[in-house]
Amino acid sequence: MRLRHQKAWLAGGVLLLLLVAWGSLTPTPPQGPQFAGADKVNHLAAYWFLGWYFAQLLPWGNVTLGLFGYGLLIESLQGLSGYRFFEWADLAANGTGLALGLFAAAGAGGRALAWIETLRSPWNSG
């Protein structure tokens, strides 16, 4: 489905990808709650949201390949950085989150952006 504000939604998605890249590649990433596996939960949540978000904008095959490739690129860049590490478990958490995000987009949650476009706001007249 093509949304009325498709380009704006895609621009927002690019900003999300840049935020993930920054958080993944900065030498001192922001620290959230600390518990065993917290890092993997963060990966899963980030890629769940990215998968859910982009599945509303682009063909699912493109989303799947693009985001999995993006996660692999980020992990590879971490491995080359000298201060972060490539972790297969992170890549697995990314893939799991992506799959769950696509699953969420298959239901009513996959129409959230279209629903937002129907709301009355200064940016959505008509």
Side-chain angles (χ1 to χ4, degrees), residues 73-107:
L73 173 66
I74 294 293
E75 284 299 316
S76 298
L77 291 173
Q78 284 180 335
L80 295 171
S81 71
Y83 52 85
R84 302 288 295 265
F85 304 97
F86 181 104
E87 292 186 46
W88 288 105
D90 287 350
L91 195 58
N94 295 350
T96 302
L98 174 57
L100 292 172
L102 292 172
F103 181 75

Side-chain angles (χ1 to χ4, degrees), residues 29-50:
Q31 297 298 310
Q34 299 297 306
F35 56 88
D39 173 56
K40 305 310 173 249
V41 171
N42 291 338
H43 280 264
L44 187 136
Y47 282 81
W48 177 92
F49 188 81
L50 290 171

